[in-house]
Coordinates of all heavy atoms in Angstrom, one line a residue:
C87 N 4.0 14.0 7.7 CA 3.9 13.5 9.0 C 4.7 14.4 9.9 O 5.9 14.7 9.6 CB 4.4 12.1 9.1 SG 4.5 11.4 10.7
A88 N 4.1 14.9 11.0 CA 4.9 15.7 11.9 C 4.9 15.2 13.3 O 4.3 15.7 14.2 CB 4.3 17.1 11.9
P89 N 5.6 14.0 13.5 CA 5.6 13.5 14.9 C 6.7 14.4 15.7 O 7.7 14.8 15.2 CB 6.1 12.1 14.7 CG 6.9 12.1 13.4 CD 6.3 13.2 12.6
E90 N 6.4 14.6 16.9 CA 7.3 15.3 17.8 C 7.8 16.6 17.3 O 8.9 17.0 17.5 CB 8.4 14.4 18.2 CG 8.0 13.1 18.8 CD 9.1 12.0 19.0 OE1 10.3 12.4 19.0 OE2 8.8 10.9 19.1
G91 N 7.0 17.3 16.5 CA 7.3 18.7 16.1 C 8.3 18.7 14.9 O 8.8 19.8 14.5
K92 N 8.7 17.6 14.3 CA 9.7 17.5 13.2 C 8.9 17.4 11.9 O 7.9 16.6 11.9 CB 10.6 16.4 13.4 CG 11.5 16.5 14.7 CD 12.3 15.2 14.8 CE 13.1 15.2 16.1 NZ 13.8 14.0 16.4
D93 N 9.4 18.1 10.9 CA 8.8 17.9 9.6 C 9.4 16.7 8.9 O 10.6 16.6 8.7 CB 9.0 19.1 8.7 CG 8.2 20.3 9.1 OD1 7.1 20.1 9.7 OD2 8.6 21.4 9.0
T94 N 8.5 15.7 8.7 CA 9.0 14.4 8.1 C 8.0 14.0 7.1 O 6.9 14.5 7.0 CB 9.2 13.3 9.1 OG1 8.0 13.0 9.8 CG2 10.3 13.7 10.1
T95 N 8.3 13.0 6.3 CA 7.4 12.3 5.4 C 7.2 10.9 5.9 O 8.2 10.2 6.3 CB 8.0 12.3 4.0 OG1 8.1 13.7 3.6 CG2 7.1 11.6 3.0
F96 N 6.0 10.5 5.9 CA 5.7 9.1 6.3 C 5.7 8.3 5.0 O 5.0 8.7 4.0 CB 4.3 9.0 7.0 CG 3.9 7.6 7.3 CD1 4.4 6.9 8.3 CD2 3.0 6.9 6.4 CE1 4.0 5.6 8.6 CE2 2.6 5.6 6.7 CZ 3.1 5.0 7.8
A97 N 6.5 7.2 4.9 CA 6.5 6.4 3.7 C 6.0 5.0 4.0 O 6.5 4.4 5.0 CB 7.9 6.3 3.2
L98 N 5.1 4.5 3.3 CA 4.5 3.2 3.4 C 4.8 2.4 2.1 O 4.3 2.8 1.1 CB 3.0 3.3 3.7 CG 2.2 2.0 3.7 CD1 2.7 1.1 4.8 CD2 0.7 2.2 3.7
E99 N 5.6 1.4 2.3 CA 5.9 0.5 1.1 C 5.4 -0.9 1.3 O 5.5 -1.4 2.4 CB 7.4 0.4 0.9 CG 7.8 -0.4 -0.3 CD 9.3 -0.3 -0.6 OE1 10.1 0.4 0.1 OE2 9.8 -1.1 -1.5
V100 N 4.7 -1.4 0.3 CA 4.1 -2.7 0.4 C 4.6 -3.5 -0.8 O 4.6 -3.0 -1.9 CB 2.6 -2.7 0.3 CG1 2.0 -4.1 0.3 CG2 2.0 -1.9 1.5
Y101 N 5.1 -4.7 -0.5 CA 5.6 -5.6 -1.6 C 4.9 -6.9 -1.5 O 4.7 -7.5 -0.4 CB 7.1 -5.9 -1.4 CG 7.7 -7.0 -2.3 CD1 7.7 -6.8 -3.7 CD2 8.2 -8.1 -1.7 CE1 8.1 -7.8 -4.5 CE2 8.7 -9.1 -2.6 CZ 8.6 -9.0 -3.9 OH 9.1 -10.0 -4.7
L102 N 4.4 -7.4 -2.6 CA 3.6 -8.7 -2.7 C 4.6 -9.7 -3.3 O 5.0 -9.6 -4.5 CB 2.4 -8.5 -3.6 CG 1.5 -7.4 -3.2 CD1 0.3 -7.2 -4.2 CD2 0.9 -7.6 -1.8
S103 N 5.0 -10.7 -2.5 CA 6.0 -11.6 -2.9 C 5.4 -12.9 -3.6 O 6.2 -13.7 -4.0 CB 6.9 -12.0 -1.8 OG 6.2 -12.8 -0.8
S104 N 4.1 -13.0 -3.6 CA 3.5 -14.2 -4.2 C 3.6 -14.1 -5.7 O 3.8 -13.0 -6.3 CB 2.0 -14.3 -3.8 OG 1.3 -13.1 -4.1
P105 N 3.5 -15.2 -6.4 CA 3.7 -15.2 -7.8 C 2.6 -14.3 -8.5 O 1.5 -14.1 -8.0 CB 3.4 -16.7 -8.2 CG 3.7 -17.5 -7.0 CD 3.4 -16.6 -5.8
T106 N 3.0 -13.6 -9.5 CA 2.1 -12.7 -10.2 C 1.0 -13.5 -10.8 O 1.2 -14.4 -11.6 CB 2.9 -11.9 -11.3 OG1 4.0 -11.3 -10.7 CG2 2.0 -10.9 -12.0
P107 N -0.3 -13.1 -10.5 CA -1.4 -13.8 -11.0 C -1.7 -13.4 -12.5 O -1.1 -12.4 -13.0 CB -2.6 -13.3 -10.1 CG -2.1 -11.9 -9.8 CD -0.6 -11.9 -9.6
E108 N -2.5 -14.2 -13.1 CA -2.9 -13.9 -14.5 C -3.7 -12.5 -14.6 O -3.5 -11.8 -15.5 CB -3.8 -15.0 -15.1 CG -3.0 -16.3 -15.3 CD -3.8 -17.4 -15.9 OE1 -4.8 -17.0 -16.6 OE2 -3.5 -18.5 -15.7
D109 N -4.5 -12.3 -13.6 CA -5.3 -11.0 -13.6 C -4.6 -9.9 -12.7 O -5.0 -9.6 -11.6 CB -6.7 -11.3 -13.0 CG -7.7 -10.2 -13.3 OD1 -7.2 -9.2 -13.8 OD2 -8.9 -10.4 -13.0
V110 N -3.5 -9.4 -13.3 CA -2.8 -8.3 -12.6 C -3.6 -7.1 -12.3 O -3.5 -6.5 -11.2 CB -1.5 -8.0 -13.4 CG1 -0.8 -6.8 -12.8 CG2 -0.5 -9.2 -13.5
P111 N -4.5 -6.6 -13.3 CA -5.3 -5.5 -13.0 C -6.2 -5.6 -11.7 O -6.3 -4.7 -11.0 CB -6.1 -5.2 -14.2 CG -5.3 -5.8 -15.3 CD -4.6 -7.0 -14.7
E112 N -6.7 -6.8 -11.6 CA -7.5 -7.1 -10.4 C -6.7 -7.1 -9.1 O -7.1 -6.5 -8.1 CB -8.3 -8.4 -10.5 CG -9.3 -8.7 -9.4 CD -10.3 -7.6 -9.2 OE1 -10.8 -7.0 -10.2 OE2 -10.6 -7.2 -8.1
R113 N -5.5 -7.6 -9.1 CA -4.6 -7.6 -8.0 C -4.2 -6.1 -7.6 O -4.2 -5.7 -6.5 CB -3.4 -8.4 -8.1 CG -2.5 -8.3 -6.8 CD -1.5 -9.4 -6.7 NE -0.3 -9.1 -7.4 CZ 0.8 -9.9 -7.3 NH1 0.8 -10.9 -6.4 NH2 1.8 -9.6 -8.0
R114 N -4.0 -5.3 -8.7 CA -3.6 -3.9 -8.4 C -4.8 -3.2 -7.8 O -4.6 -2.4 -6.9 CB -3.3 -3.2 -9.8 CG -1.9 -3.6 -10.3 CD -1.7 -3.0 -11.7 NE -1.4 -1.6 -11.6 CZ -0.3 -1.0 -11.8 NH1 0.8 -1.7 -12.1 NH2 -0.2 0.3 -11.7
K115 N -6.0 -3.5 -8.2 CA -7.2 -2.9 -7.6 C -7.3 -3.3 -6.1 O -7.7 -2.5 -5.3 CB -8.5 -3.3 -8.3 CG -8.6 -2.6 -9.7 CD -9.9 -3.1 -10.4 CE -9.9 -2.7 -11.8 NZ -11.0 -3.3 -12.6
A116 N -7.1 -4.6 -5.9 CA -7.1 -5.1 -4.5 C -6.1 -4.5 -3.6 O -6.3 -4.1 -2.5 CB -6.9 -6.7 -4.5
L117 N -4.9 -4.3 -4.2 CA -3.8 -3.6 -3.4 C -4.2 -2.1 -3.1 O -4.0 -1.6 -2.0 CB -2.5 -3.7 -4.2 CG -1.3 -2.9 -3.6 CD1 -1.0 -3.4 -2.2 CD2 -0.1 -3.1 -4.5
E118 N -4.8 -1.5 -4.1 CA -5.2 -0.1 -3.9 C -6.3 0.0 -2.8 O -6.2 0.9 -1.9 CB -5.7 0.5 -5.2 CG -6.1 2.0 -5.1 CD -6.5 2.6 -6.4 OE1 -6.2 2.1 -7.5 OE2 -7.0 3.8 -6.3
R119 N -7.2 -0.9 -2.8 CA -8.3 -0.9 -1.8 C -7.7 -1.1 -0.4 O -8.0 -0.4 0.6 CB -9.3 -2.0 -2.1 CG -10.3 -1.7 -3.2 CD -11.4 -2.7 -3.3 NE -11.0 -4.0 -3.7 CZ -10.9 -4.5 -4.9 NH1 -11.2 -3.7 -5.9 NH2 -10.5 -5.7 -5.1
F120 N -6.7 -2.1 -0.3 CA -6.1 -2.3 1.0 C -5.3 -1.1 1.4 O -5.4 -0.7 2.6 CB -5.1 -3.5 0.8 CG -4.2 -3.7 2.1 CD1 -4.7 -4.2 3.2 CD2 -2.9 -3.2 2.1 CE1 -3.9 -4.4 4.3 CE2 -2.1 -3.4 3.2 CZ -2.6 -3.9 4.3
L121 N -4.6 -0.4 0.5 CA -3.8 0.8 0.9 C -4.6 1.9 1.4 O -4.3 2.6 2.3 CB -2.9 1.2 -0.3 CG -1.8 0.2 -0.6 CD1 -1.2 0.6 -2.0 CD2 -0.7 0.2 0.4
R122 N -5.8 2.1 0.7 CA -6.7 3.2 1.1 C -7.2 3.0 2.5 O -7.4 3.9 3.3 CB -7.8 3.4 0.1 CG -7.4 4.0 -1.2 CD -8.6 4.2 -2.2 NE -8.1 4.7 -3.4 CZ -7.6 5.9 -3.7 NH1 -7.6 6.8 -2.8 NH2 -7.3 6.2 -5.0
S123 N -7.4 1.8 2.8 CA -7.9 1.4 4.2 C -6.8 1.5 5.2 O -7.0 1.9 6.3 CB -8.6 0.0 4.1 OG -8.9 -0.4 5.4
Y124 N -5.7 1.0 4.9 CA -4.6 0.8 5.8 C -3.8 2.1 6.1 O -3.4 2.3 7.3 CB -3.6 -0.3 5.3 CG -2.5 -0.6 6.3 CD1 -2.7 -1.2 7.5 CD2 -1.2 -0.3 5.9 CE1 -1.7 -1.5 8.4 CE2 -0.1 -0.6 6.8 CZ -0.4 -1.2 8.0 OH 0.7 -1.5 8.9
L125 N -3.7 3.0 5.1 CA -2.9 4.2 5.3 C -3.3 5.0 6.5 O -2.4 5.4 7.4 CB -2.8 5.0 4.1 CG -2.0 6.3 4.2 CD1 -0.5 6.0 4.4 CD2 -2.2 7.2 2.9
P126 N -4.5 5.4 6.7 CA -4.9 6.2 7.8 C -4.6 5.6 9.2 O -4.1 6.3 10.1 CB -6.4 6.4 7.7 CG -6.7 6.1 6.3 CD -5.7 5.1 5.8
T127 N -4.8 4.3 9.3 CA -4.5 3.6 10.5 C -3.0 3.5 10.8 O -2.5 3.7 11.9 CB -5.1 2.1 10.4 OG1 -6.4 2.2 10.1 CG2 -4.9 1.4 11.8
A128 N -2.2 3.3 9.7 CA -0.8 3.2 9.8 C -0.2 4.6 10.2 O 0.7 4.7 11.0 CB -0.1 2.7 8.6

């Protein structure tokens, strides 16, 4: 990320505080889909 002419890194951290579901792989896929969509906008 180079805002205002400075070399920087943009860091996006997401934490899910709800209880871990039984189907963790499905939640990981859902998180990945959300991140792929949200990152360009953010």
Side-chain angles (χ1 to χ4, degrees):
C87 172
E90 302 171 21
K92 299 176 186 173
D93 288 330
T94 60
T95 297
F96 176 78
L98 173 64
E99 184 175 350
V100 176
Y101 170 64
L102 306 175
S103 68
S104 57
T106 304
E108 289 181 27
D109 193 354
V110 173
E112 186 54 41
R113 179 161 85 169
R114 288 175 70 110
K115 288 177 191 172
L117 178 56
E118 185 175 345
R119 285 188 296 269
F120 171 76
L121 292 168
R122 287 186 188 284
S123 170
Y124 183 67
L125 180 65
T127 308

